[in-house]
Amino acid sequence: MEKTVKILITGKLHDIALKLLNNQPSELAVSESLKIVYIPDAPRDIILKEIEDTHVLISRSETDVDAELLRKAKKLSVVARAAVGYGNIDCDLATEMGILVVNTPGKNTNSAAELTMGLLLALVRKIPQAHMSTSAGGWNRHKFSGTELGDKTIGIVGLGNVGHRVAKFAKGFDMRVIAYDPYISEDVFRKNQAERKNTLEELLAECDVLSVHVPLNKETKGMISLVELKKMRKGGIILNAARGGIVAERALLEVLNEGYIVGAAIDTFDNEPKPLQELIAHPNVIVTPHIGASTAEAQYRIGETIAIQVLKALRGEIVDYPVNLPHVSLLGSNDLKVFSVLSEKVSRFGAQIFDFQPAILKLTVKANLNKEDLQVLKLSAIKGFLSHASEEFVSYVNAEKILQRKGLEFEIEMTPSSSAKNELLFEVYGKGTSEKISVGAVLYDGKFARLSSINDFLFEIELDNDLIVMQNHDRPGVIGDVGSYLAKNNVNIAQFELSRNRRGGMAMSLIRIDGDLESEVVAGLRKLPNLISARLVSGL
Ligand SMILES: NC(=O)c1ccc[n+]([C@@H]2O[C@H](COP(=O)([O-])OP(=O)(O)OC[C@H]3O[C@@H](n4cnc5c(N)ncnc54)[C@H](O)[C@@H]3O)[C@@H](O)[C@H]2O)c1
Ligand SMILES: O=C(O)[C@H](O)COP(=O)(O)O
C-alpha cells in the first residue's frame, strides 16, 4: 500500500511552496502521497495534537520546536524552518531523534537588510512620529528635526548574510562601517569594505549606531547588556532586526530612560508576540512586529526553497541547507548521489549475510573523491547497515550517533584510481579473528548499481528488489531443483547468478526475484538436497 506522508505547516507560507508540494516537478517527485495540513499561525495546542502523526513539520519563527513538541512527534523525520534563525528549535534533541533540520539561509537576507536600513532612517528622521502627527492634522516642521547618516559610524555585530548587506547599504549612505565578527576571514571584511574590529569593546567605543546581526545562541544571548551599552558613546542608537535577547531589553530601557542611548529601532523581541510594554511604548523607540522577512520576494524564495528541501529529504537525498548535518553540505553532483545510493545498498546487503557479532565496519572506496564526498558515502553506508540492524529510525542525521551507541567502529579508506572507477567494498569484521564478510559493488556506466562479489565469489547482479543468497555444493541438479521449488511457490525469478570457487567445490547463487518473498519459502529452500544455506536479503 502506498505510504502517506503528513506535512504539517504551522506558519504562513507563500503559495509557491504548496504548489511545488502538490505538483512535484518530475526530478523531485516522491513516491509517497502527501497529506498537507496547512494551519498558518496555528495555536500551540493544535500543533501539539497535529504533530503526533506528522512526518514533516514546516514552521516559521512563532512555532517553538522544543522538547515538549519533539517528544510528541513519534513519526517526525524533518523539521523545515522556513527562514534562517533556528534558535527556537531544539536541534540537539532533533539530532538525537534522527530528525533532519533544514532552513533557507540567504533567502530573506535582502529583505532583512532593507528593513534594517528602513528602521535606521525612520529613527533618525523621526518618520513614524512625523507621519502620526501630520496625518492627524498637525504641521510641526521643527519638532521633527533629525540627524543625517552621512559620516556617522555604524558598528555591525555579525558580518554574515544580513550584516554584510547592511554594510553595503550603509556605505551607500556615506557611513563609516566597522564590524565585529570573530568567525569570518579578513577577506570578507575587505570585500565588504568594513573595518575589522578585533573585540566587541573596540567596536562599541567607536560607533554611533550599533546594529546586531548574529544568531541567538548561548554566546550571543545578552551580548549587548548594560555594560556594553555604557561602552558606547553617549547619544548612540541601537538597531535589532536579528533576534530578541541579543540586546538585553531591560538594560536598553534603562539607558534610553537615562538619555544615554537616544534611540532604538527593534523588529525582534524577547517575548514575541507580547514584547516588553515599556520598551515598545518608549517615545524614542520605533518597533515593527518581526517583519524582516515579510516581503513578497523573500517569501517566494523561501517558499520555493523549503518545498525543494522537503522533497529532497523525502526522496532520501541530502538537502542543500542541513542545519544539523554541518559536515555534509551540498550533495555536489548527481554522480555522488548515485554513488551514495550504492553505498547504502551494499551495506544494507552486507548487514543481512552474517551470523556473528559485528565489531568493525569498513568501506573501501575505489574512486577519486574529496573529503566531503567521502563523508557522504560513509554516512550512507552506516545508514544502510543500521537501517537493517537497528530498530531505531535511522537517518543521515543520527547514523553516526547510533553506530557509536552500538559500540561499532567504522573505517573508511579510499584507493585513488587513475580511471574514473566507482567501486565499493563493504566489509564487516567480527570480534573473532576469522569472522569477516565482504561485499563488493560497482556502478556500471556511472549509474547502474551492481553487486560484484561476496567474499571470494564473483557476480554481476542488480542490487534491487529482494535477493536470495544461497550456498550449495557444486553438484548437478541444484539449479533445476531450486527453479522448480520456487515456481511451485509462485515465485518469479528475475535474475539468477551462479558463482563457484572451484569445480566440484562450493558454489554461491544469487537469485533476484520479482515482488516480496515469504520467509517460509526461503526456509523450504534450505531443505533441498545439496543446499548449505539460503537467506533472504530484502529492502534493497
Ligand atoms: N528580522 C527578521 O525577520 C530576520 C530576517 C533574517 C534574519 N534574521 C536574523 O538575523 C540574524 C543574522 O542572519 P544572517 O542570515 O545574516 O545569518 P548568518 O549566519 O549569515 O550571519 C551571522 C553572522 O554572525 C556571526 N557571529 C556568530 N556569533 C557571533 C558572535 N558571538 N560575535 C560576532 N559575530 C558572530 C557569524 O560568524 C556570521 O557571520 C539571525 O539572528 C537571523 O535569525 C532576522
Ligand atoms: O530567522 C529569520 O530568518 C527571520 O527571523 C524570519 O523568520 P520568520 O519569517 O519565520 O518569522
Side-chain angles (χ1 to χ4, degrees):
M1 207 172 62
E2 196 183 56
K3 191 182 159 201
T4 300
V5 167
K6 176 175 168 184
I7 300 182
L8 175 64
I9 306 172
T10 59
K12 177 123 179 58
L13 275 197
H14 195 283
D15 286 351
I16 184 70
L18 298 155
K19 266 191 202 142
L20 282 168
L21 292 172
N22 285 319
N23 304 303
Q24 300 140 20
S26 57
E27 71 281 9
L28 289 172
V30 294
S31 51
E32 302 91 346
S33 68
L34 304 185
K35 177 186 172 198
I36 298 173
V37 179
Y38 182 29
I39 319 175
D41 303 318
R44 179 82 179 166
D45 55 334
I46 303 281
I47 297 175
L48 291 182
K49 195 151 176 31
E50 289 287 345
I51 201 70
E52 286 173 9
D53 59 348
T54 289
H55 299 90
V56 176
L57 171 67
I58 305 182
S59 66
R60 291 192 54 189
S61 55
E62 60 275 352
T63 303
D64 278 333
V65 186
D66 53 14
E68 183 192 27
L69 182 149
L70 289 172
R71 298 239 183 260
K72 284 187 189 288
K74 298 284 179 253
K75 298 190 172 166
L76 198 62
S77 56
V78 182
V79 173
R81 168 74 178 99
V84 178
Y86 50 83
N88 58 331
I89 299 172
D90 188 338
C91 287
D92 288 344
L93 181 58
T95 304
E96 184 61 34
M97 292 171 73
I99 298 169
L100 174 69
V101 181
V102 297
N103 70 347
T104 62
K107 306 299 168 190
N108 60 17
T109 297
N110 192 50
S111 296
E114 286 183 2
L115 182 81
T116 307
M117 292 312 286
L119 287 172
L120 177 55
L121 284 165
L123 189 68
V124 295
R125 299 304 302 270
K126 304 188 170 79
I127 295 171
Q129 297 89 332
H131 167 78
M132 293 298 283
S133 159
T134 313
S135 63
W139 194 259
N140 288 302
R141 284 170 28 90
H142 307 305
K143 186 173 177 193
F144 301 116
S145 171
T147 52
E148 281 190 351
L149 295 181
D151 293 333
K152 302 287 185 314
T153 299
I154 184 168
I156 294 174
V157 183
L159 198 59
N161 284 329
V162 181
H164 74 238
R165 194 113 187 109
V166 169
K168 181 183 167 125
F169 293 159
K171 278 274 167 200
F173 282 92
D174 289 336
M175 296 185 84
R176 174 184 169 226
V177 177
I178 59 177
Y180 168 68
D181 189 329
Y183 300 111
I184 57 173
S185 73
E186 197 65 49
D187 259 15
V188 181
F189 285 85
R190 212 172 306 119
K191 238 174 42 208
N192 294 290
Q193 297 173 46
E195 276 174 51
R196 179 172 208 154
K197 294 292 158 194
N198 290 322
T199 63
L200 183 59
E201 283 66 31
E202 280 177 63
L203 179 108
L204 294 169
E206 290 183 33
C207 63
D208 304 298
V209 178
L210 178 73
S211 195
V212 292
H213 298 285
V214 291
L216 179 67
N217 54 35
K218 284 181 200 125
E219 192 184 275
T220 60
K221 193 165 172 55
M223 83 186 285
I224 308 296
S225 63
L226 193 60
V227 178
E228 286 76 26
L229 289 165
K230 283 288 175 95
K231 284 185 178 156
M232 285 181 67
R233 294 175 184 161
K234 192 167 186 303
I237 63 179
I238 306 293
L239 306 176
N240 184 358
R243 274 294 176 276
I246 296 166
V247 180
E249 291 182 354
R250 291 254 167 223
L252 178 59
L253 189 62
E254 192 177 324
V255 286
L256 281 164
N257 285 338
E258 277 174 18
Y260 190 82
I261 292 294
V262 296
I266 313 169
D267 181 52
T268 48
F269 300 86
D270 242 346
N271 190 26
E272 296 176 7
K274 294 247 169 292
L276 182 62
Q277 184 55 33
E278 294 147 274
L279 184 64
I280 61 175
H282 195 284
N284 296 340
V285 173
I286 62 170
V287 291
T288 45
H290 199 152
I291 55 168
S294 301
T295 62
E297 294 84 353
Q299 287 309 313
Y300 183 94
R301 288 189 291 263
I302 288 171
E304 186 181 41
T305 309
I306 209 70
I308 291 172
Q309 298 311 290
V310 166
L311 293 175
K312 282 190 172 181
L314 290 176
R315 287 164 58 84
E317 293 175 17
I318 294 181
V319 294
D320 305 322
Y321 306 111
V323 168
N324 55 351
L325 256 180
H327 46 305
V328 177
S329 54
L330 261 163
L331 189 57
S333 64
N334 201 41
D335 291 352
L336 180 61
K337 203 182 299 173
V338 182
F339 208 13
S340 70
V341 172
L342 184 74
S343 178
E344 191 167 338
K345 284 190 178 212
V346 75
S347 63
R348 190 173 297 141
F349 187 100
Q352 300 179 59
I353 60 159
F354 62 89
D355 295 309
F356 51 82
Q357 179 73 32
I360 302 170
L361 314 181
K362 182 172 177 190
L363 185 70
T364 307
V365 181
K366 202 178 235 180
N368 296 317
L369 299 178
N370 62 31
K371 227 169 98 197
E372 272 222 323
D373 292 353
L374 263 189
Q375 177 67 11
V376 173
L377 292 192
K378 174 182 172 182
L379 288 181
S380 307
I382 299 176
K383 181 169 172 261
F385 183 85
L386 289 177
S387 57
H388 179 75
S390 175
E391 286 299 299
E392 292 174 71
F393 167 69
V394 186
S395 72
Y396 282 106
V397 177
N398 63 358
E400 278 184 303
K401 275 201 168 162
I402 297 180
L403 194 79
Q404 265 173 16
R405 218 184 303 129
K406 288 187 177 294
L408 292 172
E409 283 176 42
F410 194 97
E411 293 172 6
I412 187 158
E413 193 178 294
M414 186 167 71
T415 323
S417 141
S418 49
S419 58
K421 278 217 175 90
N422 285 335
E423 285 181 34
L424 296 173
L425 184 71
F426 180 71
E427 291 163 293
V428 182
Y429 293 87
K431 290 201 195 310
T433 44
S434 62
E435 295 171 327
K436 177 192 163 186
I437 57 108
S438 68
V439 186
V442 63
L443 274 184
Y444 277 118
D445 211 14
K447 48 181 182 274
F448 303 112
R450 297 285 185 271
L451 188 139
S452 55
S453 67
I454 301 176
N455 301 334
D456 297 331
F457 297 95
L458 303 181
F459 296 96
E460 192 200 315
I461 193 161
E462 281 183 48
L463 267 170
D464 220 351
N465 294 1
D466 286 358
L467 284 167
I468 300 170
V469 183
M470 234 170 54
Q471 268 200 293
N472 58 284
H473 297 290
D474 183 27
R475 290 186 192 138
V478 177
I479 298 179
D481 289 349
V482 170
S484 25
Y485 170 80
L486 290 177
K488 235 187 275 163
N489 284 281
N490 225 1
V491 177
N492 195 38
I493 297 177
Q495 205 178 349
F496 195 114
E497 279 264 328
L498 177 79
S499 175
R500 62 181 186 184
N501 52 5
R502 64 184 164 78
R503 194 169 176 169
M506 292 275 279
M508 188 179 270
S509 305
L510 288 181
I511 309 171
R512 196 162 66 84
I513 51 156
D514 289 330
D516 299 335
L517 192 66
E518 303 294 326
S519 51
E520 300 87 74
V521 178
V522 183
L525 264 180
R526 290 185 204 117
K527 295 187 187 132
L528 295 179
N530 291 317
L531 260 276
I532 299 166
S533 67
R535 60 173 91 219
L536 175 66
V537 174
S538 58
L540 296 173

